[in-house]
């Protein structure tokens, strides 16, 4: 996957002035748009769309400094007016093109990214591949913003709002793998931008044919393959580190890629204060 990402970076450079069809580029690289966007954001710390925007505005800055007509520059980079171009330029550099032309800056230039795989061997990926028939996730759902590091206070507040009886009721409904109470994220923007909204469901897995109680939310999950990572350590730091390591270590070294679907965390054991835990991270995958 590292080689494919570097090829994608070169294609981005070649097409800075064109509409970037990521789906077509992904197919040319024998992968999927979903996998490319998810892995890119995990490794780069920004969505692919944000990187492309920054690179375009970095290239456009040179044209602005060269004194070219602003409307011509706007059209060159796919904007219908100098006003729309100015807004995009300002969102990246913090100042408008007229000020940059007058003062020579300031400019916030985005270098071209290049990806390198460093194998250190210090993160053991305890993994299994599971084939699962179609099943259903049921529980209490909420829309929350994505937060990459640390405890997500919105998810914490959602779980804390549920009475103890709700947890016990959900546990009793669990009748298929992954067993027990689950932390489920769904509807994640493939660009995986910090702050973008996703669906969080605190619930359990049940057989597809089981009825859904009227007061609970449900997510239908198609039959498919899952990569299951067992994680032990500080919570949630160890879990988030494992999520990142799937992108940097596991996917580049194995013939699998992410496919659309919910991500699930099953807590197998935990300290009383939840400072440490043993979890399983379930990611939907397909053969690369």
């Amino acid at each position: 996957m590292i080689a494919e990402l570097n090829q994608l970076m070169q294609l981005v450079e070649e097409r800075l002035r064109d509409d970037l069809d990521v789906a077509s580029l992904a197919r040319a690289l024998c992968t999927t748009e979903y996998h490319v966007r998810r892995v890119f954001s995990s490794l780069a710390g920004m969505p692919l769309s944000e990187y492309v925007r920054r690179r375009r505005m970095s290239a456009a800055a040179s044209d602005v400094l060269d004194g070219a007509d602003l409307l011509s520059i706007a059209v060159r980079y796919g904007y219908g007016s100098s006003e729309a171009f100015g807004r995009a330029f300002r969102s990246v550099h913090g100042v408008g093109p007229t000020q940059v032309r007058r003062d020579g800056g300031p400019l916030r230039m985005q270098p071209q990214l290049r990806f390198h795989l460093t194998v250190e061997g210090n993160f053991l990926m305890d993994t299994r591949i599971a084939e699962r028939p179609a099943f259903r996730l049921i529980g209490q759902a909420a829309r929350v913003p994505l937060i990459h590091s640390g405890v997500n206070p919105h998810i914490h507040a959602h779980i804390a709002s549920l009475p103890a009886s709700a947890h016990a009721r959900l546990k009793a409904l669990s009748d298929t793998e992954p067993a027990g109470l689950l932390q489920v994220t769904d509807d994640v923007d493939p660009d995986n931008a910090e702050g973008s909204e996703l669906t969080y469901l605190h619930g359990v897995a049940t057989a597809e044919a089981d009825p859904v109680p009227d007061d609970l939310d449900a997510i239908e999950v198609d039959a498919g393959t899952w990569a299951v990572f067992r994680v032990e350590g500080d919570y949630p730091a160890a879990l988030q580190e494992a999520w990142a390591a799937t992108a940097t270590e596991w996917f580049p070294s194995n013939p699998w890629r992410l496919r659309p679907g919910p991500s699930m965390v099953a807590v197998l054991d935990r300290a009383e204060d939840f400072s440490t835990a043993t979890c399983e991270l379930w990611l939907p995958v397909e053969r690369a």
Side-chain angles (χ1 to χ4, degrees):
M1 190 63 210
I2 297 298
E4 287 83 353
L5 284 174
N6 283 324
Q7 290 180 57
L8 178 62
M9 294 300 95
Q10 185 57 45
L11 291 171
V12 167
E13 293 304 304
E14 294 171 0
R15 304 183 187 186
L16 282 178
R17 297 180 179 181
D18 304 322
D19 289 334
L20 195 66
D21 185 347
V22 179
S24 296
L25 295 179
R27 285 194 297 270
L29 298 173
C30 299
T31 186
T32 65
E33 178 181 5
Y34 184 87
H35 185 68
V36 163
R37 289 186 182 276
R38 291 294 299 273
V39 172
F40 179 91
S41 62
S42 295
L43 295 178
M46 73 178 93
L48 178 58
S49 57
E50 173 65 15
Y51 171 73
V52 171
R53 187 171 66 93
R54 292 183 186 182
R55 283 297 300 143
R56 279 182 173 154
M57 291 302 101
S58 294
S62 296
D63 294 344
V64 169
L65 290 171
D66 285 342
D69 176 69
L70 290 182
L71 181 57
S72 298
I73 298 173
V75 172
R76 190 177 303 156
Y77 289 94
Y79 294 90
S81 68
S82 55
E83 290 78 12
F85 170 74
R87 288 192 293 272
F89 191 92
R90 189 176 293 104
S91 70
V92 170
H93 297 291
V95 294
T98 302
Q99 181 179 341
V100 166
R101 179 168 290 174
R102 184 186 67 237
D103 301 333
L107 293 169
R108 299 171 183 165
M109 306 296 278
Q110 171 65 57
Q112 181 180 351
L113 290 182
R114 295 178 179 83
F115 294 90
H116 303 277
L117 177 61
T118 301
V119 180
E120 298 179 346
N122 62 349
F123 195 96
L124 179 64
M125 304 296 288
D126 186 350
T127 315
R128 62 187 172 94
I129 301 296
E131 294 288 343
R132 299 289 297 122
F135 61 95
R136 178 177 287 138
L137 296 164
I138 62 173
Q140 302 283 351
R143 295 291 288 174
V144 300
L146 173 65
I147 295 177
H148 288 301
S149 300
V151 175
N152 188 318
H154 307 277
I155 292 177
H156 180 76
H158 175 62
I159 297 173
S161 70
L162 303 177
S165 58
H167 301 285
R169 177 195 178 198
L170 287 171
K171 285 182 181 179
L173 292 172
S174 173
D175 63 5
T176 192
E177 196 179 25
L181 283 173
L182 305 175
Q183 303 167 6
V184 180
T185 55
D186 196 23
D187 296 332
V188 179
D189 182 340
D191 271 350
N192 219 23
E194 181 95 9
S196 62
E197 279 203 335
L198 55 85
T199 296
Y200 173 82
L201 182 135
H202 185 72
V204 295
T206 69
E208 186 182 26
D210 290 354
V212 180
D214 292 339
D215 59 336
L216 295 180
D217 302 297
I219 298 173
E220 304 296 333
V221 184
D222 294 333
T225 306
W226 301 79
V228 186
F229 303 89
R230 187 183 177 94
V231 183
E232 301 180 16
D234 295 339
Y235 184 88
L239 183 61
Q240 291 167 340
E241 181 183 357
W243 222 129
T246 65
T248 59
E249 299 181 32
W250 195 81
F251 282 113
S253 307
N254 290 278
W256 300 94
R257 65 189 178 202
L258 286 165
R259 60 179 173 86
S263 303
M264 305 177 293
V265 175
V267 179
L268 308 180
D269 191 21
R270 66 181 181 88
E272 187 173 344
D273 62 358
F274 225 143
S275 59
T276 61
T278 300
C279 306
E280 282 188 341
L281 170 63
W282 289 62
L283 299 180
V285 297
E286 61 188 5
R287 281 278 180 179

